[in-house]
Amino acid sequence: MSNTNPHRFSLESFRRKLASVDALPQLCVLGVIAGVITGCLMTLFRLLLKLGAMFFMPDSDPEAFEQLTPMFRSILPLLAVTLIGGWLALHPGGSRHQIGIAHVIERLTYQQGRFPIRNWISQWWIGLVSVLGGLSAGREGPAIHLGAAASSGLGTSLQLPHNSLRVLVACGTAAGISASFNTPLGGVIFAMEVVMMEYTTVGFIPVILASFMGSVISQSVFGFDPPFQKAGVVMESFIHLPWIAASALLIGLLAGGFVRLARSAPRLDILPFALRLVLVGVAVGLTAFWYPEVQGMGYDSMRRTLEGQVAIDVLMAVAIGKLILTAGAVACRVPVSIIGPILVAGGAAGALCGMVGNLLLPDMQTDPALYALMGMAAMMAAVLQAPMAALMALLELTHNPQLMLPGMLAVVVACLTARQLCGCDGFFISVTRHGMHPLQQPLMQALSRISVPAVMERSFSRTRRRLSYEQASALLDANPEWIIIERSSDDKPALAMNAAHLARWLLEHTADDELIDSEGMFDLLEIPGERLELGPIHLQATLSEAYQRLNENPVDALYVVHGRRPDKQRISGIITRSAIERYYRYEDQSVTKTRQN
């Protein structure tokens, strides 16, 4: 006879396995699905960009602003901010700007990776309009938001535990970058370093699968073409390292200025939002009249820079103007994506440094393209405080591993300069009053990797506070760990007591005890023993959510409910503070032993 359990592969079983810390096979399945979904979405987004460009851009190229007439390309940004402003006016003021990478990190940090559908729809519109409309904006923000929210939405619709939603957000992030820029490894590192802010095996493997699938789908449609590939760009001698370090120092200062300007939004909030939109549109339009290279992502300008086809004044406009225009848009709370623009601005600044170096040291002439690529990686690393993501982007965007050695020096110097001299943390990190972002706290990271069902106590019995001696004995026949005492006014739990206390009292007292009234009933609240105040938490919640709930509310333990409708919810178990602390101590000891071995 077969011992196969018909419910072995049920959705409920799948959810329960995902709740634990070792759900790697299940997470891998989700990673593949998330990669496919995100790859299809990014393919659609890129096709929509091409479709929009067909109506007014030469060769249907969404980056060909240089081929437009000066007047037309100057009007485009004003039209773009008008369309963006009109769309945002349809949304409440508190949430209308919440799109892009910062929104993804915020939802991951405080909402366990759950995304509102309204913001997701806004990202489609604003992402397309900002790029096609000639603002200084990239497409990586839309790629990350659309992929992360769609992947998380899959988990939410299936009512998966929140710890798996976090992994799905990372999968969507990596697949979005991979599908948008053909940088699968860079997408993985970006997701783990910038969004998740941690490196774990359980997190890495599903994210790698998602990034792989996203890149496969994208390359199947658009083919493969490294954006900044140029043969022969190498560092010919170590004698160039000091000037590379000096160039990275300058780029680190530019990155620090960019971050500080972008974070000046509170000071500009005194101006009406419509006026801020106009300021952004006018600033971009006036600059684009003479220097259209500041518009869009600027990858075409970066390619020409590598070929030495860009004049010095244009390089200065891109290096300084594009940084100011992008940071100014962010400061005015116009939700544009920044990574593409800062890559291009860093490349222009690096090329300028290379030219200056050739003038100062004529005996050590080198291709300015080397410094352009170093500047690109240095700027990204300094602004995001993500050195590994910047190095991976450099490798995959150029397909030139010989750039890794000088790139490492440039990235480190730029990161240290922005952090130590300019006091800038990563662009997307909000510093809390305790000086550390929640995702950077080891305790909260560890507790976010596992959901409540993996730790909660499932052995319990429910009862009213008054019951008979015989009823109490029958209650203990099921050998529960906890007794949940309901309120007298409704069916919601109020207190929990350890069943051992009731068992001890029954052994020490008889049915004629003084606590038992004439009707043969006694009150559970009157017998000796500790009782815990209870509060609710959902079955999908992570241990970090449970820990925060215990800290923020005057309760001693939580009862775990299952079901969406309040009138249909049922209790699945109890989780105490001591159970959470035991899990964390066990994980901490396991990590310590692994490191010692």
Side-chain angles (χ1 to χ4, degrees):
M1 180 181 294
S2 173
N3 293 326
T4 301
N5 185 347
H7 301 292
R8 182 178 179 183
F9 300 107
S10 66
L11 182 58
E12 187 63 34
S13 173
F14 189 71
R15 293 192 191 108
R16 180 172 295 188
K17 291 177 180 178
L18 281 172
S20 65
V21 75
D22 57 350
L24 188 56
Q26 292 76 22
L27 291 174
C28 287
V29 172
L30 292 178
V32 171
I33 298 174
V36 172
I37 292 174
T38 304
C40 293
L41 288 176
M42 286 308 97
T43 298
L44 176 60
F45 187 82
R46 294 176 65 178
L47 290 174
L48 288 175
L49 281 176
K50 287 185 173 292
L51 178 63
M54 288 175 58
F55 293 98
F56 62 94
M57 298 292 281
D59 302 323
S60 301
D61 182 4
E63 288 283 295
F65 296 100
E66 295 86 351
Q67 301 179 43
L68 300 175
T69 64
M71 185 58 67
F72 184 53
R73 68 184 181 231
S74 297
I75 294 174
L76 270 179
L78 288 171
L79 178 61
V81 295
T82 300
L83 293 174
I84 292 173
W87 178 268
L88 294 180
L90 300 175
H91 298 77
S95 63
R96 61 187 179 188
H97 311 101
Q98 296 176 1
I99 63 174
I101 302 173
H103 178 59
V104 170
I105 296 177
E106 187 271 336
R107 299 299 295 189
L108 181 68
T109 305
Y110 301 107
Q111 300 295 330
Q112 301 300 320
R114 293 166 293 181
F115 293 84
I117 184 65
R118 181 178 58 189
N119 299 59
W120 188 74
I121 296 173
S122 293
Q123 180 64 90
W124 281 96
W125 174 255
I126 296 175
L128 292 169
V129 170
S130 62
V131 175
L132 291 173
L135 297 178
S136 182
R139 67 170 184 253
E140 66 288 329
I144 290 170
H145 184 181
L146 296 176
S151 300
S152 172
L154 169 68
T156 302
S157 63
L158 296 177
Q159 300 183 49
L160 301 182
H162 292 169
N163 65 321
S164 60
L165 295 187
R166 296 173 57 82
V167 177
L168 280 170
V169 168
C171 290
T173 297
I177 296 176
S178 175
S180 190
F181 301 103
N182 286 327
T183 54
L185 186 55
V188 173
I189 300 300
F190 185 93
M192 305 304 291
E193 187 174 33
V194 178
V195 177
M196 295 290 286
M197 301 182 202
E198 63 174 345
Y199 293 102
T200 62
T201 301
V202 174
F204 253 124
I205 295 179
V207 173
I208 290 173
L209 284 172
S211 187
F212 167 78
M213 293 304 303
S215 188
V216 166
I217 292 174
S218 176
Q219 292 184 34
S220 299
V221 177
F222 299 104
F224 178 72
D225 181 23
F228 306 136
Q229 189 173 23
K230 180 188 175 184
V233 180
V234 294
M235 184 182 67
E236 298 174 351
S237 171
F238 287 155
I239 200 169
H240 296 292
L241 289 177
W243 190 246
I244 288 176
S247 302
L249 176 64
L250 174 62
I251 290 172
L253 294 174
L254 289 175
F258 172 87
V259 173
R260 287 187 173 277
L261 177 57
R263 286 183 175 175
S264 63
R267 292 196 291 269
L268 295 177
D269 285 344
I270 60 174
L271 301 176
F273 183 59
L275 178 58
R276 283 178 274 154
L277 286 171
V278 171
L279 289 175
V280 171
V282 169
V284 177
L286 287 176
T287 308
F289 187 88
W290 290 279
Y291 297 105
E293 291 81 5
V294 301
Q295 294 184 287
M297 289 186 298
Y299 277 14
D300 56 339
S301 300
M302 184 65 187
R303 283 190 286 267
R304 290 197 300 272
T305 298
L306 295 178
E307 298 296 332
Q309 300 175 2
V310 180
I312 293 178
D313 63 320
V314 175
L315 288 175
M316 294 183 66
V318 174
I320 306 299
K322 197 168 183 65
L323 278 183
I324 293 176
L325 292 174
T326 307
V330 175
C332 290
R333 299 198 187 277
V334 179
V336 298
S337 185
I338 70 158
I339 296 180
I342 65 172
L343 282 173
V344 175
L352 287 170
C353 290
M355 293 178 181
V356 172
N358 287 340
L359 290 175
L360 295 177
L361 305 169
D363 295 333
M364 295 181 293
Q365 294 276 329
T366 189
D367 189 347
L370 170 66
Y371 286 86
L373 294 171
M374 295 300 100
M376 181 184 71
M379 183 67 78
M380 177 180 174
V383 170
L384 304 182
Q385 288 296 304
M388 285 299 298
L391 285 172
M392 288 302 102
L394 176 64
L395 176 62
E396 292 191 300
L397 291 173
T398 64
H399 274 218
N400 188 347
Q402 296 180 2
L403 297 176
M404 289 296 98
L405 182 62
M408 292 167 68
L409 175 64
V411 160
V412 168
V413 172
C415 277
L416 288 175
T417 301
R419 178 179 287 272
Q420 300 301 323
L421 297 185
C422 302
C424 296
D425 297 300
F427 180 82
F428 298 113
I429 300 301
S430 300
V431 179
T432 67
R433 62 183 177 180
H434 301 293
M436 183 177 289
H437 189 274
L439 288 181
Q440 294 174 315
Q441 300 174 15
L443 172 61
M444 301 311 292
Q445 279 189 347
L447 297 182
S448 295
R449 299 184 195 121
I450 189 170
S451 283
V452 163
V455 176
M456 72 180 185
E457 177 57 63
R458 301 174 184 272
S459 176
F460 66 91
S461 295
R462 296 181 63 178
T463 182
R464 296 284 185 175
R465 59 183 290 183
R466 292 182 57 79
L467 70 168
S468 66
Y469 191 93
E470 291 76 14
Q471 289 172 335
S473 299
L475 196 67
L476 296 175
D477 288 343
N479 294 319
E481 182 72 21
W482 292 95
I483 303 294
I484 297 180
I485 306 171
E486 299 171 352
R487 296 189 182 101
S488 57
S489 57
D490 52 46
D491 290 333
K492 294 182 179 179
L495 299 170
M497 66 179 298
N498 196 298
H501 297 313
L502 177 59
R504 187 182 304 112
W505 187 84
L506 292 179
L507 288 175
E508 296 174 354
H509 299 77
T510 60
D512 56 356
D513 189 88
E514 60 182 9
L515 290 180
I516 301 178
D517 58 22
S518 58
E519 298 177 356
M521 309 291 286
F522 69 95
D523 192 337
L524 283 175
L525 302 186
E526 295 181 359
I527 68 174
E530 180 184 12
R531 278 163 283 272
L532 305 179
E533 292 280 349
L534 293 178
I537 195 165
H538 200 273
L539 187 71
Q540 293 175 263
T542 63
L543 289 191
S544 64
E545 290 178 274
Y547 189 72
Q548 289 175 338
R549 184 73 57 86
L550 289 170
N551 289 337
E552 295 170 359
N553 297 277
V555 295
D556 306 305
L558 302 169
Y559 63 93
V560 184
V561 295
H562 179 60
R564 292 186 175 182
R565 293 178 52 184
D567 57 332
K568 297 292 185 179
Q569 288 181 342
R570 58 183 177 84
I571 297 179
S572 300
I574 290 178
I575 185 165
T576 63
R577 186 186 300 273
S578 60
I580 297 175
E581 292 174 348
R582 281 198 303 271
Y583 165 78
Y584 179 70
R585 285 197 297 268
Y586 172 78
E587 286 297 305
D588 188 49
Q589 292 171 0
S590 299
V591 171
T592 301
K593 290 180 179 178
T594 301
R595 290 174 177 172
Q596 290 175 348
N597 293 334

